[in-house]
């Protein structure tokens, strides 16, 4: 078969899905633990308990496997964020949950994070740009809710709110190298303080 796609994965038989899940789970852990360059197709096959032939049935090479994992993780995060934004939660709770969903990958030891180790293919570069735009559009709906509920000043632009969101996200990641050390309650309290800058318009 051709290299696996997200759409094709949904159509796999239960037996094939089990093999693919094992490949993806073990490859993810290996990439996190050792980094992209030290992981080999042989080691992935060994840990996933499949043959190299089976692995190559679904993925062309190591980079194809790595990029598939990145894409899959982006889509999971996007679905999580949409579920939060579409939920009936009040704005304050939603913004907290969206930030948590965004930074979750930085302390989840089973999710590899791309850090410029390789030159990504044009396909995945295009996908990431599209994904980033869709995330911004989704967050705009959240900012609109915040303005309607009176939490965000009307004069604050969406571009400024996006910059603020990214500053908070990057700040948390840089200060807390292991975000797992932050208890959920402490993180919620910290985010409430950090977002006081835009929540101050509440009457």
């Amino acid at each position: 078969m051709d290299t696996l796609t997200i759409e094709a994965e949904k159509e796999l038989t239960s037996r094939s899905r089990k093999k693919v899940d094992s490949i993806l789970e073990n490859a993810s852990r290996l990439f996190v633990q050792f980094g992209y360059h030290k992981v080999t197709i042989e080691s992935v096959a060994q840990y996933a308990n499949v043959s190299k032939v089976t692995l190559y049935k679904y993925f062309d090479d190591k980079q194809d496997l790595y990029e598939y994992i990145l894409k899959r993780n982006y889509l999971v995060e996007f679905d999580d964020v949409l579920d939060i934004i579409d939920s009936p939660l009040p704005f304050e709770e939603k913004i907290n949950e969206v930030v948590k969903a965004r930074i979750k990958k930085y302390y989840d030891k089973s999710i590899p994070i791309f850090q410029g180790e390789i030159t990504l293919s044009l396909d995945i570069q295009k996908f990431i740009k599209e994904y980033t735009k869709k995330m911004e559009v989704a967050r705009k709906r959240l900012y609109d809710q915040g303005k309607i509920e009176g939490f965000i000043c009307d004069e604050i632009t969406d571009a400024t709110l996006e910059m603020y969101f990214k500053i908070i996200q990057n700040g948390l990641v840089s200060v807390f190298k292991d975000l797992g050390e932050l208890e959920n309650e402490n993180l919620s309290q910290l985010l409430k303080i950090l977002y006081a800058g835009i929540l101050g318009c509440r009457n």
Side-chain angles (χ1 to χ4, degrees):
M1 65 179 286
D2 295 330
T3 183
L4 188 66
T5 64
I6 298 295
E7 294 73 23
E9 183 185 345
K10 298 174 183 176
E11 304 299 323
L12 292 175
T13 64
S14 58
R15 183 180 179 185
S16 294
R17 177 175 290 277
K18 188 174 180 180
K19 290 179 181 179
V20 168
D21 285 345
S22 181
I23 291 169
L24 296 173
E25 288 170 11
N26 284 282
S28 294
R29 292 194 188 97
L30 289 170
F31 285 133
V32 169
Q33 186 174 356
F34 300 107
Y36 176 84
H37 291 294
K38 291 185 178 179
V39 175
T40 64
I41 285 292
E42 288 80 7
S43 63
V44 173
Q46 180 181 357
Y47 278 90
N49 197 28
V50 299
S51 68
K52 285 173 60 178
V53 172
T54 297
L55 202 153
Y56 282 124
K57 176 182 177 183
Y58 301 107
F59 304 101
D60 290 340
D61 51 34
K62 182 172 72 170
Q63 180 161 341
D64 183 39
L65 171 60
Y66 181 71
E67 291 185 357
Y68 188 88
I69 291 170
L70 292 180
K71 185 174 184 179
R72 205 172 185 241
N73 291 337
Y74 275 126
L75 291 172
V76 168
E77 180 189 347
F78 183 64
D79 287 343
D80 289 345
V81 168
L82 282 188
D83 285 344
I84 295 166
I85 292 174
D86 291 337
S87 74
L89 291 172
F91 173 77
E92 280 184 292
E93 289 184 40
K94 280 188 183 181
I95 197 71
N96 281 349
E97 293 303 315
V98 167
V99 172
K100 289 177 189 175
R102 187 73 185 100
I103 64 177
K104 181 175 70 174
K105 63 184 179 184
Y106 292 98
Y107 61 88
D108 187 334
K109 300 305 182 184
S110 66
I111 298 177
I113 302 170
F114 177 64
Q115 297 178 320
E117 306 95 329
I118 58 172
T119 299
L120 296 175
S121 68
L122 292 178
D123 284 344
I124 193 71
Q125 289 182 45
K126 181 181 177 183
F127 168 81
I128 291 173
K129 285 181 182 178
E130 292 174 351
Y131 154 86
T132 301
K133 184 63 179 176
K134 287 180 180 179
M135 288 292 281
E136 289 175 356
V137 170
R139 285 195 294 266
K140 183 183 183 304
R141 288 167 45 208
L142 180 58
Y143 303 145
D144 288 344
Q145 179 184 344
K147 290 178 179 180
I148 290 171
E149 293 181 8
F151 284 100
I152 302 177
C153 301
D154 288 335
E155 62 267 25
I156 300 179
T157 65
D158 292 331
T160 299
L161 291 168
E162 271 299 295
M163 283 190 285
Y164 197 68
F165 179 87
K166 290 171 184 175
I167 287 169
I168 288 175
Q169 168 198 307
N170 294 334
L172 285 170
V173 171
S174 64
V175 171
F176 298 97
K177 299 302 181 184
D178 181 3
L179 289 170
E181 68 192 49
L182 265 178
E183 295 293 334
N184 197 51
E185 183 179 350
N186 292 338
L187 180 57
S188 295
Q189 291 176 354
L190 182 58
L191 288 172
K192 189 169 185 177
I193 293 170
L194 291 171
Y195 267 99
I198 63 169
L199 299 180
C201 295
R202 180 72 168 168
N203 294 324

